[in-house]
Amino acid sequence: DLALESNPSDHPRASTIFLSKSQTDVREKRKSNHINHVSPGQLTKKYSSCSTIFIDDSTVSQPNLRSTIKCVTLAIFYHIKNRDSDRSLDIFDEKSHPLTREEVPDDYYKHDPDHKHIYRFVRTLFSAAQLTAECAIVTLVYLERLLTYAEIDICPSNWKRIVLGAILLASKVWDDQAVWNVDYCQILKDITVEDMNEMERHFLELLQFNINVPASVYAKYYFDLRSLADDNNLSFLLEPLSKERAQNLEAISRLCEDKYKDLSKAAMRRSFSADNLVGIRRSNAILS
């Protein structure tokens, strides 16, 4: 139980690894700005006013795809940048199992990828396979679970294959229309189905076949990704509240209000019936 509670991918109270790894850079950036008296600059974030209401179209149940992928790839970036060491496994090594026919440089393990590079790689897979934003969050959960269970690090030599394996598994577990391994071979032209199958099998074994993601854990990762976005000035998309959307929100609000009223009435009826039953029993006892 103690081991479970210390693992963020299994327990809702454990802190996510990516957020703690990002805090080092956030603190250094704030300290540098304070020392150099750097102003935050002109505010670009939109704020609601009396005449205009801006709303965020990303919710925990329906996250914005583009913003979520940006946050997930930023989390992966911090995992690589602030890793503790370079522990890895051969199945994820890009030199041993290249994803393309292009020759992998000899110093491939020395250069950390930047955020844009990671984002382009993940965005290409999600766009081609038509995956959802929820799948991106589950991908990050599986990635951190792998690093914890297998006691390895995500680094320049293995990040592409680890991310690919996590996406492959998340798309099968989460999305209703599963993307098969052969479909990924159509996206990554030079990888074989046999290699994909082998990587998926190793990934599952390293996860100890634990592919369950509780709703509480999913929600924690979503809100921690929002915190990561705020710390790095990655704003989620805001749009003015339209008349049609306002009417939809009002209709949903009324529906929920009516539902709770019905539940409240039902609870009162049950309470009244129970009180009557107690009264009847007491009357019968007195008459006896």
Side-chain angles (χ1 to χ4, degrees):
D1 292 339
L2 290 174
L4 180 68
E5 290 189 12
S6 64
N7 190 339
S9 64
D10 288 321
H11 201 278
R13 288 199 296 268
S15 301
T16 52
I17 303 173
F18 71 84
L19 195 60
S20 61
K21 286 186 177 294
S22 70
Q23 291 308 302
T24 303
D25 287 45
V26 171
R27 285 192 294 268
E28 289 180 356
K29 183 178 179 181
R30 289 173 180 170
K31 183 179 179 181
S32 175
N33 289 342
H34 177 72
I35 293 173
N36 298 320
H37 304 286
V38 177
S39 63
Q42 184 179 1
L43 294 176
T44 57
K45 186 176 180 180
K46 298 178 180 178
Y47 291 91
S48 299
S49 64
C50 297
S51 59
T52 307
I53 298 177
F54 291 100
I55 58 174
D56 185 348
D57 69 342
S58 181
T59 63
V60 69
S61 59
Q62 291 183 330
N64 177 271
L65 178 61
R66 183 171 176 268
S67 299
T68 302
I69 293 178
K70 274 193 173 183
C71 291
V72 168
T73 51
L74 185 60
I76 296 171
F77 167 78
Y78 278 121
H79 261 291
I80 299 172
K81 182 182 179 183
N82 297 327
R83 63 189 181 277
D84 297 324
S85 60
D86 291 308
R87 298 170 300 176
S88 187
L89 295 171
D90 180 71
I91 187 63
F92 299 121
D93 192 283
E94 198 173 345
K95 187 76 170 179
S96 303
H97 304 274
L99 296 177
T100 64
R101 292 180 183 177
E102 296 179 8
E103 186 177 355
V104 180
D106 292 333
D107 60 345
Y108 70 109
Y109 58 91
K110 294 181 180 179
H111 305 290
D112 292 353
D114 58 19
H115 178 215
K116 290 182 179 180
H117 188 189
I118 301 171
Y119 174 77
R120 284 195 297 267
F121 178 77
V122 175
R123 179 68 180 175
T124 299
L125 292 175
F126 269 72
S127 178
Q130 297 183 345
L131 303 178
T132 62
E134 298 91 332
C135 183
I137 297 175
V138 177
T139 295
L140 184 57
V141 175
Y142 286 158
L143 187 147
E144 292 207 341
R145 187 172 293 176
L146 175 75
L147 301 183
T148 306
Y149 280 28
E151 297 182 349
I152 61 175
D153 301 282
I154 183 167
C155 51
S157 63
N158 63 16
W159 73 268
K160 282 187 179 180
R161 290 181 63 84
I162 287 180
V163 171
L164 177 60
I167 292 174
L168 171 66
L169 193 57
S171 64
K172 290 185 176 181
V173 173
W174 188 264
D175 285 349
D176 293 332
Q177 295 181 343
V179 182
W180 301 105
N181 293 4
V182 67
D183 297 323
Y184 285 99
C185 294
Q186 298 297 321
I187 303 170
L188 302 169
K189 302 291 186 180
D190 299 326
I191 193 171
T192 64
V193 178
E194 292 76 18
D195 185 17
M196 293 285 289
N197 294 341
E198 182 78 1
M199 183 172 61
E200 181 185 14
R201 183 175 64 80
H202 275 80
F203 208 107
L204 279 168
E205 288 178 352
L206 292 168
L207 291 185
Q208 301 172 24
F209 297 92
N210 178 16
I211 57 175
N212 179 47
V213 179
S216 55
V217 170
Y218 171 90
K220 176 187 65 178
Y221 272 80
Y222 170 80
F223 288 113
D224 278 5
L225 285 169
R226 295 292 300 248
S227 299
L228 183 70
D230 289 339
D231 290 339
N232 291 270
N233 298 321
L234 287 179
S235 59
F236 277 65
L237 296 177
L238 294 175
E239 59 181 18
L241 180 64
S242 62
K243 182 179 179 181
E244 292 77 16
R245 188 159 186 182
Q247 290 173 342
N248 290 336
L249 289 173
E250 186 178 6
I252 293 172
S253 177
R254 286 177 179 173
L255 183 65
C256 292
E257 186 178 0
D258 293 341
K259 180 181 177 181
Y260 286 120
K261 283 182 179 178
D262 293 340
L263 290 173
S264 179
K265 289 179 181 178
M268 290 179 64
R269 284 196 296 268
R270 286 195 297 269
S271 177
F272 181 74
S273 300
D275 291 342
N276 284 345
L277 181 60
V278 172
I280 293 171
R281 287 177 176 173
R282 285 179 178 174
S283 299
N284 290 337
I286 293 172
L287 291 172
S288 300

